[in-house]
Amino acid sequence: MITVNPARRLTFGEVVREHRRSFADVVAFVDGEVRLTWTEFDERTNRLANALAAEGVGAGDRVLWLGQNSVRIWELLGAAAKLGAMVCPGYWRWAAPEMAFAVRDFAPKVVVWQQEEIGDTIAKARAELGQPDGVRWLRHDAPQEEADGYEAFLAAGSPEDPALDIDPDTALLVIYTAAMSGSQCGSMLSHRNLLAMGATGGWLGDIDHTTAFLSAGPMFHIGNYQFWGVPAFLHGGKNVIVRRVAAAELLPLLARERCTHGYLMPPTIVELVELNASAGHDLSAFRASVAPQLWAGTVQVDTSRFTANGGGEGRGYGQTEVTGFVATGGFGGSGIGNAGRPGPFVAVRIVAEDGTECPAGVAGEICVRGELVHLGYWNRPEINEHRFRGGWWHTTDLGRREPDGTISFLGTTTRMLKSAAENIFPAEVENCIEAHAGVKEAAVIGVPNERWAQDVKAVVVRHDDASGVTAEDIIEHCRARIASYKKPKTVEFVDALPRTAQFAKDYAALDARFGGGGYPGGETLGAGR
């Protein structure tokens, strides 16, 4: 057995220690009235680590956060990094049963919770749980002197560094993802995952010690860490954290903190521009990397590699389980594929159902290996075994390697049709149909066929000026672009596709309306196959 020399171990905690030496009095985090230098942040993470250790938290143990964005999530990550523990920022909009499920599933030793806005939901979850053994509940927005409050708990810890040797390949950040297996799964991201992501993101976005990132995205989502929370952290920059998005509060903050980047959605950008028309704040430090046209010339346009070749306009592919993006337009120059090329820490294969690699131009499952691939899902050994088969992470997403080496993301493989012996992934057919100039959007379902199992039916929304587009036009468009057995046999035109509460295409409603059914093994080709 080979023992790794401690000199080769770089962890999140070691980054904090180094920044205390390199950027001692530089502001690292801003959260409302709280401003922490790297020295102050390092000391607080020491105190919190020691307080958690006194509560029995050690290597492999877990801390659950039930609250909105806060610098305290970063403090918990820093403290856990020094103990070898892991932290899960839970989704604060979870319903009470979902919160109770997360507590049971994640089995934390400490839960840090928030009263404001979600206190009633947490109370219901705790009532459902009863009194689980060995769980300490700390209210993070409690008065400073309250015994079960976060600040009092932290203050009781020693400021001395725990000085433990932590393995960078252990889990640090856990993010619960969609319920593909019937229940949500906690994706475990290691120190190495996060630092590799931070290095990649820093290179893509020209992030350095002068970066001031407005952390307005949800901290239960990988996007807020990748763009650009962890890159700024890694390079000694500043994270400016807001509890939730309110444009009237964000606008003066952007100006006062000279924010250079921000995790902002288009509706918020539009509102900020409208408010600033009369407020007149100086936003000249900000660089718009997404939808720069919405800023109407009030900020700089980002010219980093991230925006090169359309990288900042949705050109890329990733998921939480691969620590964000594994491919973007910023890697390797422009090309055919809508996802660009993989970055330097990963390799990507497109594989058929039998595990063989697909040739260029043929769709299959996107599989990834490398420094960005997560450790697996917490407490899901059977799913992990299946998804890591063959030494690669199977994403359950559909893609295609183009002849120029770029990758096209086509959708999910979790819906599959069967025509005789052939598997057909609706996402690939939808992608083809939506490339037709007269098509606004499309959905594909399978309708039963006694002989062939299923026929492909397309449900299509035409552009307003394309009423002349016929079913035969759609079928011939597909015949020329994908294998003939994948093309729709029938086409229905509708004014709009039905949507779920999450605004996804509602395939169940389409099946009910147009006679869909007969899916192989149900509607999913997932972890059990």
Side-chain angles (χ1 to χ4, degrees):
M1 179 178 179
I2 298 174
T3 301
V4 177
N5 188 324
R8 295 177 56 84
R9 296 176 183 268
L10 183 68
T11 65
F12 230 62
E14 205 59 66
V15 171
V16 176
R17 296 179 182 108
E18 178 55 39
H19 285 349
R20 180 173 186 165
R21 294 187 286 264
S22 297
F23 303 107
D25 297 323
V26 174
V27 173
F29 294 94
V30 176
D31 183 356
E33 298 301 314
V34 175
R35 303 181 69 83
L36 298 177
T37 65
W38 284 106
T39 296
E40 291 166 334
F41 181 72
D42 183 47
E43 181 175 315
R44 284 179 64 85
T45 58
N46 287 342
R47 287 185 179 277
L48 184 55
N50 289 317
L52 289 170
E55 198 64 37
V57 176
D61 290 324
R62 295 157 302 284
V63 177
L64 177 65
W65 171 273
L66 294 177
Q68 295 165 318
N69 286 4
S70 172
V71 68
R72 289 167 176 166
I73 298 175
W74 282 100
E75 291 178 345
L76 285 166
L77 287 169
K82 294 177 177 181
L83 296 174
M86 57 185 102
V87 176
C88 173
Y91 184 25
W92 63 271
R93 288 194 176 97
W94 274 336
E98 292 171 308
M99 286 186 179
F101 168 81
V103 175
R104 292 191 189 100
D105 185 60
F106 197 51
K109 286 197 171 178
V110 174
V111 178
V112 184
W113 65 281
Q114 176 179 310
Q115 176 64 43
E116 187 171 1
E117 290 198 50
I118 59 174
D120 289 346
T121 304
I122 291 172
K124 292 176 184 176
R126 293 184 70 173
E128 180 177 329
L129 287 164
Q131 296 294 329
D133 293 336
V135 180
R136 175 75 182 273
W137 292 75
L138 299 171
R139 179 182 160 190
H140 103 83
D141 55 353
Q144 189 160 350
E145 67 279 1
E146 186 171 310
D148 279 333
Y150 176 93
E151 281 299 325
F153 180 80
L154 180 148
S158 165
E160 296 300 314
D161 195 310
L164 300 175
D165 180 25
I166 304 302
D167 183 351
D169 284 317
T170 54
L172 173 60
L173 174 65
V174 177
I175 295 179
Y176 272 81
T177 61
M180 290 181 59
S181 64
S183 60
Q184 295 188 88
C185 297
S187 173
M188 298 185 292
L189 303 176
S190 70
H191 299 250
R192 193 184 300 276
N193 289 152
L194 294 169
L195 296 181
M197 176 257 275
T200 302
W203 182 86
L204 277 172
D206 289 342
I207 304 301
D208 63 16
H209 66 286
T210 67
T211 297
F213 171 62
L214 180 68
S215 181
M219 293 180 72
F220 54 76
H221 191 285
I222 192 63
N224 199 70
Y225 297 93
Q226 185 176 24
F227 309 119
W228 301 103
V230 171
F233 165 87
L234 184 59
H235 289 82
K238 178 172 66 175
N239 272 272
V240 180
I241 299 164
V242 293
R243 183 170 63 87
R244 60 180 303 169
V245 174
E249 297 174 11
L250 297 186
L251 183 58
L253 190 62
L254 281 168
R256 183 171 68 249
E257 297 298 334
R258 302 290 293 166
C259 291
T260 59
H261 299 74
Y263 194 99
L264 297 167
M265 297 295 103
T268 303
I269 295 171
V270 171
E271 193 174 355
L272 287 168
V273 172
E274 290 174 350
L275 289 170
N276 206 39
S278 57
H281 289 289
D282 177 8
L283 304 181
S284 60
F286 196 83
R287 290 153 41 186
S289 55
V290 175
Q293 71 280 4
L294 295 181
W295 288 95
T298 60
V299 301
Q300 300 179 62
V301 175
D302 184 25
T303 58
S304 71
R305 298 176 184 90
F306 176 67
T307 58
N309 306 312
E313 294 300 311
R315 192 158 188 260
Y317 166 75
Q319 58 180 204
T320 301
E321 294 88 339
V322 292
T323 329
F325 275 176
V326 295
T328 80
F331 295 126
S334 60
I336 300 169
N338 63 19
R341 290 181 172 86
F345 289 105
V346 290
V348 172
R349 296 175 69 205
I350 308 298
V351 303
E353 191 174 9
D354 63 3
T356 59
E357 188 164 3
C358 297
V362 175
E365 185 178 13
I366 300 172
C367 294
V368 185
R369 75 183 339 169
E371 299 294 286
L372 296 178
V373 175
H374 74 160
L375 301 177
Y377 297 121
W378 165 256
N379 200 27
R380 302 288 189 276
E382 293 182 1
I383 295 175
N384 292 336
E385 181 180 4
H386 176 73
R387 296 284 292 275
F388 278 114
R389 65 192 183 277
W392 291 73
W393 172 251
H394 288 249
T395 66
T396 74
D397 286 328
L398 191 69
R400 182 176 61 233
R401 180 78 69 170
E402 303 296 356
D404 66 350
T406 56
I407 293 170
S408 288
F409 167 62
L410 303 176
T412 178
T413 66
T414 53
R415 283 182 58 85
M416 188 185 78
L417 314 185
K418 195 83 169 178
S419 178
E422 300 290 355
N423 296 334
I424 301 170
F425 295 106
E428 181 184 14
V429 185
E430 291 170 1
N431 187 274
C432 180
I433 296 170
E434 289 172 351
H436 189 291
V439 173
K440 183 176 182 181
E441 59 180 349
V444 166
I445 61 173
V447 293
N449 179 302
E450 289 185 8
R451 182 177 182 184
W452 304 115
Q454 286 181 306
D455 290 330
V456 178
K457 178 184 284 288
V459 183
V460 175
V461 179
R462 292 175 286 212
H463 285 298
D464 292 341
D465 59 355
S467 58
V469 173
T470 66
E472 190 59 29
D473 292 334
I474 299 297
I475 294 168
E476 289 305 309
H477 170 84
C478 292
R479 191 195 307 271
R481 289 163 175 81
I482 56 178
S484 184
Y485 69 86
K486 300 177 184 178
K487 71 182 185 301
K489 187 170 184 179
T490 56
V491 179
E492 302 281 353
F493 293 101
V494 296
D495 293 333
L497 295 180
R499 298 284 178 177
T500 67
Q502 291 75 37
F503 207 67
K505 296 173 184 177
D506 191 338
Y507 291 98
L510 290 169
D511 283 343
R513 179 175 174 184
F514 296 108
Y519 297 97
E523 291 193 10
T524 62
L525 180 66
R529 81 169 190 262

